[in-house]
Amino acid sequence: MNIVMFEIKSAKFLKGAIGGEGLPQDALPQVAFVGRSNVGKSSVINTLVGMKDLAISSSTPGRTLQLNFFLINEDTYFVDLPGYGYSKQSLKFAEKMRKMIMWYLEQNEKKPKKVILIIDGNVGPTKFDLEMMELLQENKYKIIVVANKMDKVKNSELSKKKKGIIEKLQTENIIYFSAKTKKGKFELLEKIFD
Ligand code: GDP
């Protein structure tokens, strides 16, 4: 059997873009990461690249209201979109972020090759997650759902939780992940780069 382990050999923060300003102009493929604030989006990205603090948590002010581009293996962009649906955000701020996300996913000429939708596997898909899933489906994206924080799910509840996620999202294309234990890391890398 031929086992190929995907590996990220280099990763660097390239730039933050606001709207169309500052987007990379080259043709390298883009892989976008979306998710509600606090689902662990930055932790998932950091786990994939094997670095502690490449992507910055959405609870830290700074790079939040922009599209953050990371150059991976010199040939792919990971694009970290702003987190959405955080109750502590002001409505105006939340609306600004929503507009930015929608613009990138719907109007941008350089559409991402794949979109990684990160949800909290312990909480399950929320209304915001379902709205995002619908938007991605309408735009015919290749979607990979990552159910993060699976380390928080008790063994006795595992199959029930998985069933609930599949039923709500209407897909079985889900990677059960934990940024804490690194569970699912290679499975996700394989799906991203296949
Ligand atoms: P972001 O806002 O989506 O970028 O979320 P962060 O990556 O900042 O994570 C939010 C919080 O969830 C932090 O306290 C993380 O330590 C925690 N977290 C992230 N991933 C996991 C995970 O897989 N398991 C557990 N138990 N906690 C996690």
Side-chain angles (χ1 to χ4, degrees), residues 5 39-40 43-49 116 118-119 121-122 144-155 158-159 161-162 165 174-190 192:
M5 291 287 252
V39 292
S43 303
V44 170
I45 295 174
N46 289 334
T47 299
L48 291 179
V49 300
I116 319 296
I118 303 173
I119 65 163
N122 191 34
I144 304 170
V145 178
V146 172
N148 187 36
K149 304 198 184 182
M150 289 308 288
D151 59 283
K152 285 182 151 188
V153 179
K154 287 194 204 109
N155 264 338
L158 198 58
S159 58
K161 286 255 163 142
K162 285 184 177 175
I165 296 173
I174 296 161
I175 294 180
Y176 298 98
F177 198 95
S178 165
K180 194 170 174 190
T181 66
K182 303 191 176 23
K183 173 190 156 67
K185 173 175 171 174
F186 291 104
E187 197 190 337
L188 179 54
L189 283 174
E190 208 175 303
I192 290 174

